[in-house]
Amino acid sequence: MPQVVRADEGKLRQIFTNLIGNAVKFTERGGVTVRFEALPGAGRTLRLRGEVADTGPGIAAAELPRLFREFEQTESGVRTGGGTRAGPGHQPAVCPLMGGDIRVESEPGRGTLFSFEAPVERGEATALRPGPTRGGCCVCSHRTKGCAS
């Protein structure tokens, strides 16, 4: 993974927040695994590929087609009182807006895997502006004076 990429930060943040947040919300036992990689593209373009897997209750195959519909709930959402599984229909709209896509694989009792791809551009580390951030000393947010970055 490159240290810096250029992309629509708001859309990427929405995807990450919804997928990771829902995986945590729906996983009572086991865990959540998050993986990211950047695949080469043409020129400075990269394909950011992300996966969020959980060991939650899973989703029945019959429910997968309605999973991303706005304001719909899956059975696991109803049982846990957790609302809609992927956020109210936003993910399939956000990924294509960025030129990417999103997929889901799930099996009741075995968890769920969301995977997405979105194009990003390789950025330059010089684009980072060192300075105070949320109580840290620089872009790395270390709370010590002897920061190594």
Side-chain angles (χ1 to χ4, degrees), residues 26-126:
F26 282 89
T27 302
E28 292 181 12
R29 290 188 204 115
V32 174
T33 303
V34 179
R35 290 183 287 271
F36 292 100
E37 65 180 329
L39 305 171
R44 298 185 60 76
T45 303
L46 301 168
R47 298 279 305 167
L48 179 64
R49 178 182 292 165
E51 292 183 345
V52 179
D54 66 57
T55 58
I59 305 164
E63 293 188 281
L64 291 176
R66 49 182 264 237
L67 180 64
F68 292 119
R69 289 188 203 146
E70 200 163 2
F71 307 117
E72 294 250 357
Q73 282 190 321
T74 62
E75 281 299 314
S76 62
V78 172
R79 281 193 308 271
T80 63
T84 55
R85 175 66 180 183
H90 289 91
Q91 301 324 310
V94 172
C95 285
L97 284 175
M98 297 180 66
D101 64 343
I102 187 166
R103 295 169 301 284
V104 61
E105 298 172 28
S106 189
E107 186 178 332
R110 293 192 175 252
T112 303
L113 169 68
F114 284 93
S115 57
F116 70 91
E117 284 192 19
V120 296
E121 185 178 310
R122 185 179 302 275
E124 298 294 330
T126 57

Side-chain angles (χ1 to χ4, degrees), residues 4 123-130:
V4 179
E124 298 294 330
T126 57
L128 294 176
R129 292 189 191 116

Side-chain angles (χ1 to χ4, degrees), residues 129-133 136-139:
R129 292 189 191 116
T133 62
C137 66
C138 62
V139 295

